[in-house]
Amino acid sequence: MTASAVITGWGFYVPRSVLTNRDLESRIDTTDAWIVERTGIRERHIVSDGEATASMAANAARAALDRAGIAAGDLDAVMVATTTADHLVPTAACLVQEQIGARRAAVFDLGAACAGFVYGIAVAKGLIASGAARGVLLVAAETISRFIDWSDRSTCVLFGDGAGAVVIEASDGRPGIRGTVLRGDGTKRHALWVEGGGSLMVHLDGPSGQMYRLRMDGQDVFKLAVPSMARACEEVLAAEGLRIGDVTLLVPHQANLRIIEAVGKRLGIDRARVFVNIERYGNTSAASIPIALCEAVDQGRVRPGDLVLMCAFGGGMTWGAALVEWSGGVLATGAPGLRDRARSQLRRSHGALDPR
Ligand code: ACO
């Protein structure tokens, strides 16, 4: 029997520093009212000097591992979904591995822009189904603020920094990740892109700063995102023989409140069953779904047995959806090897077992 892939831990981290719409009013020609009306955003968190993607990811990872009750040393894979790794080499995952001590894990980054978390869910499920891994840490983390043109009012108001993580474990009995749909379309890549910094456009002598800034055609993104996200949701539900009415909570990528509302309307899902927290974080790209998922669970909006539908759209273009039957956390059964190793490690490091 193929093992199911169950989310057993979750956690997130956002930088301490908060940038409000009022702060932006004093820097560029904009207003709090315009930003709230067009995007739903009121404030976002921004990294401080010395902070970047890997350190945020490691903080989120520690919280997720703690919740799962397993030790980093027992992970088989550490995957970081990001387009803003600290360096071109090494990957953010290597830095996270070092910071949390995931000594025996395979480590790699996954680049699918804002859809990175949904892509990562699919990869984790595949690693577990193939038997290649029994414990996977998936972190989605982004430091978009360092790639923003802070004089471009049509993009700089949208984004924030942050990280969200989940631990995904193999289980022989529990329900977990039910299905995923992943899609992409490179022909639309210019609607949202960073031109420089890759192998085609490296200016080692006198770099032109603007080439490294994020550029976006907001209206094109809007028009592409809404039908793509809605279709991915419909496809993943249809593949499982389910309808939107079966979904307890939709946790969409927090791109923009108007996009979220338009996707919800297309799907015909009640507004009360759509999770929104964009007002406090802005668009944190790949990190937005796991941050939202953490808050939804902690607020009691998701309970064991509930169906959670996630969908995202991002640069590339990339998009997709993932359907998860919520397990409620720590595995009572399944993955005994992983859990036994973790417990003995906890016993060694703390002298006693974690009470959970
Ligand atoms: N404050 C005040 N005025 C602004 C601002 C601002 N921050 N930004 C743009 N404007 C002005 C424009 O200059 C323009 O002025 P003009 O008419 O004098 O030329 C006017 O507002 C309208 O500009 P539009 O670009 O047409 O504004 P629109 O209503 O499309 O809203 C927005 C812009 C919010 C970016 C919208 O296009 C959108 O939501 N797009 C989706 C993009 C998105 O969410 N991207 C997130 C990243 S991608 C992802 O995560 C999927």
Side-chain angles (χ1 to χ4, degrees), residues 29-31 34-35 38-39 114 153-154 157-159 192 216 218-219 221-222 253 255-256 258-259 283 313-314:
D29 182 15
T30 192
T31 60
W34 192 97
I35 300 171
R38 305 288 178 117
T39 73
C114 301
R153 65 180 181 172
S154 64
V157 302
L158 296 174
F159 295 94
L192 179 66
M216 182 185 74
Q219 293 192 359
V221 171
F222 198 107
H253 166 43
N256 176 315
R258 291 194 304 170
I259 290 180
N283 178 344
F313 184 91

Side-chain angles (χ1 to χ4, degrees), residues 47-260:
V47 288
S48 307
D49 289 350
E51 194 171 29
T53 294
S55 58
M56 290 194 294
N59 283 330
R62 287 187 197 98
L65 287 165
D66 193 44
R67 185 82 69 132
I70 71 161
D74 289 312
L75 291 167
D76 300 308
V78 172
M79 183 183 357
V80 178
T82 187
T83 44
T84 53
D86 299 32
H87 312 286
L88 279 178
V89 181
T91 60
C94 285
L95 303 184
V96 171
Q97 182 226 20
E98 181 200 2
Q99 290 177 38
I100 65 173
R103 285 174 298 281
R104 49 182 291 281
V107 284
F108 60 99
D109 284 4
L110 187 157
C114 301
F117 184 76
V118 168
Y119 267 68
I121 289 277
V123 174
K125 180 175 157 61
L127 285 170
I128 286 171
S130 72
R134 288 192 70 85
V136 179
L137 173 70
L138 166 62
V139 196
E142 300 278 17
T143 313
I144 303 285
S145 66
R146 295 236 165 86
F147 297 88
I148 290 291
D149 176 351
W150 287 98
S151 66
D152 174 8
R153 65 180 181 172
S154 64
T155 55
C156 76
V157 302
L158 296 174
F159 295 94
D161 301 327
V166 289
V167 173
I168 303 173
E169 292 184 67
S171 168
D172 296 329
R174 300 272 290 275
I177 300 165
R178 294 273 296 259
T180 55
V181 165
L182 308 179
R183 299 279 184 268
D185 182 358
T187 65
K188 306 288 194 309
R189 64 191 178 278
H190 296 120
L192 179 66
W193 73 324
V194 179
E195 186 179 13
S199 57
L200 187 63
M201 293 278 183
V202 186
H203 290 261
L204 296 177
D205 303 312
S208 154
Q210 285 308 313
M211 284 180 51
Y212 301 91
R213 304 287 175 198
L214 185 138
R215 297 276 157 229
M216 182 185 74
D217 182 326
Q219 293 192 359
D220 274 0
V221 171
F222 198 107
K223 281 184 231 150
L224 292 164
V226 174
S228 305
M229 284 163 85
R231 223 173 18 250
C233 288
E234 286 160 359
E235 286 176 22
V236 80
L237 287 170
E240 291 292 308
L242 295 165
R243 298 146 73 99
I244 194 69
D246 298 314
V247 171
T248 312
L249 194 68
L250 176 68
V251 182
H253 166 43
Q254 307 287 305
N256 176 315
L257 183 58
R258 291 194 304 170
I259 290 180
I260 294 171

Side-chain angles (χ1 to χ4, degrees), residues 11-19 43-48 51-61 63 139-145 159-165 254 277-295:
F12 77 100
Y13 172 86
V14 287
R16 194 180 287 253
S17 172
V18 174
L19 182 70
E43 58 187 38
R44 68 288 287 148
H45 294 249
I46 303 290
V47 288
S48 307
E51 194 171 29
T53 294
S55 58
M56 290 194 294
N59 283 330
V139 196
E142 300 278 17
T143 313
I144 303 285
S145 66
F159 295 94
D161 301 327
Q254 307 287 305
N277 66 358
I278 193 170
E279 65 279 5
R280 284 174 291 120
Y281 302 111
N283 178 344
T284 55
S285 186
S288 89
I289 290 181
I291 292 173
L293 182 65
C294 289
E295 291 204 327

